[in-house]
Amino acid sequence: MLIKSLFWGGICLGGALILDDYAENKKEEKEYQVLMQKSHMITFDAKNKTLDKMQDFAAFAKDKKQSDEIENRIKIVCDSLYKIAENKGTSKDWLTYIKIVPQEYHKDAFEKIEKLEAKAWNTDSKAWKQASTANTVSSYEKYLSMYPRGKHAKGAEKRIVDIGIANAFSGEHGSLPQMDRVSSSQGSKSLIKVDNNTGYTLTLLYSGTDSKRLVLAPQESDFISLNNGTYQIAAFVSASNVRSYAGTEQLLGGEYSVSYYISSY
């Protein structure tokens, strides 16, 4: 009786394993069919993750034939998307292509982008168009690095300051103390002496009648001259754990003095 029970128990266990394999194979077959169907609906959209799912399936599928067919379908789709990016011919479209397809199908997409970028920035006017269209600090800094004496250099500096000021005032920041006015005059300009008493590089942005920035090394002092008027001012150091400061100041002419330091209280 004991032997018979074990025998029948073995048959039941074997039957359960067969049923589990059957269910898993059916599930895999269904996933295969769904992915093949979706592969015919892939659009030129960076948010589409179907190819990633197909690649995962091909890597872990038990059925080698299905795995090979999925791999082949991935190649066909990637070739089609490559032709779309090539026809569109912009850096943005090549970046979209890179985001859609698996890494091994990137081909020469990055080289295409480099060539397009170089061409788009190869004259002062083209570079300014690229910078102003992007309208970011990094785009204007790129313009200045390529054309430090370009006809839009002052405009680039102004926009860098204005964007930085806007970001400082819109984000979390401390309040800047008022500067000390050490002398007065009837002139149209104000001269500010700035002391950086921190252990970090200090950047100051002034946006008002003028738009200027002043960058000081640790423990460095310098002067900046500004036309009189009301200014928004932002100050920040090269340390991620130290917050930015921002405030408003009215310059009335004469000389001003201000020192910046970091308190540990």
Side-chain angles (χ1 to χ4, degrees), residues 191-207:
L191 183 66
I192 306 167
K193 180 179 184 291
V194 183
D195 298 316
N196 176 15
N197 294 325
T198 77
Y200 305 99
T201 298
L202 171 68
T203 300
L204 290 159
L205 305 177
Y206 301 86
S207 179

Side-chain angles (χ1 to χ4, degrees), residues 143-248:
Y143 171 84
L144 287 172
S145 69
M146 296 180 70
Y147 304 95
R149 297 182 181 179
K151 60 182 179 181
H152 302 287
K154 287 185 178 180
E157 282 283 0
K158 174 176 169 50
R159 294 197 187 183
I160 287 172
V161 170
D162 293 344
I163 291 171
I165 288 285
N167 290 341
F169 273 84
S170 63
E172 183 182 353
H173 63 274
S175 297
L176 277 179
Q178 295 292 298
M179 294 186 288
D180 294 324
R181 192 181 186 196
V182 295
S183 70
S184 60
S185 77
Q186 300 301 314
S188 61
K189 288 183 176 293
S190 296
L191 183 66
I192 306 167
K193 180 179 184 291
V194 183
D195 298 316
N196 176 15
N197 294 325
T198 77
Y200 305 99
T201 298
L202 171 68
T203 300
L204 290 159
L205 305 177
Y206 301 86
S207 179
T209 309
D210 296 324
S211 290
K212 291 185 178 182
R213 61 176 166 172
L214 179 65
V215 181
L216 298 175
Q219 306 303 317
E220 183 184 10
S221 298
D222 203 351
F223 292 87
I224 185 168
S225 178
L226 298 169
N227 284 305
N228 295 342
T230 301
Y231 284 83
Q232 287 184 308
I233 305 171
F236 50 91
V237 297
S238 56
S240 59
N241 61 331
V242 180
R243 65 177 173 171
S244 301
Y245 283 79
T248 303

Side-chain angles (χ1 to χ4, degrees), residues 3-24:
I3 294 173
K4 186 175 182 181
S5 296
L6 288 172
F7 176 72
W8 283 105
I11 291 176
C12 290
L13 180 60
L17 290 172
I18 292 171
L19 287 173
D20 285 345
D21 284 344
Y22 176 78
E24 191 173 338

Side-chain angles (χ1 to χ4, degrees), residues 44 85-86 88-99 109-121 130 142:
F44 200 72
E86 199 166 38
K88 288 178 175 289
T90 69
S91 297
K92 182 180 178 181
D93 291 309
W94 281 113
L95 282 172
T96 298
Y97 170 80
I98 288 169
K99 290 177 181 177
F110 285 106
E111 288 83 352
K112 298 270 190 184
I113 292 170
E114 286 180 8
K115 288 179 181 179
L116 287 166
E117 287 290 304
K119 186 176 180 180
W121 291 76
Q130 292 294 320
K142 180 176 179 178

Side-chain angles (χ1 to χ4, degrees), residues 47-64:
K47 295 179 181 179
N48 196 309
K49 301 301 178 184
T50 300
L51 287 172
D52 290 336
K53 293 177 181 178
M54 291 175 70
Q55 195 172 43
D56 288 341
F57 179 90
F60 297 104
K62 292 182 178 180
D63 189 318
K64 188 177 185 306

Side-chain angles (χ1 to χ4, degrees), residues 34-52:
V34 169
L35 287 173
M36 289 297 281
Q37 185 178 11
K38 285 186 175 181
S39 74
H40 291 277
M41 298 183 288
I42 293 176
T43 58
F44 200 72
D45 182 354
K47 295 179 181 179
N48 196 309
K49 301 301 178 184
T50 300
L51 287 172
D52 290 336

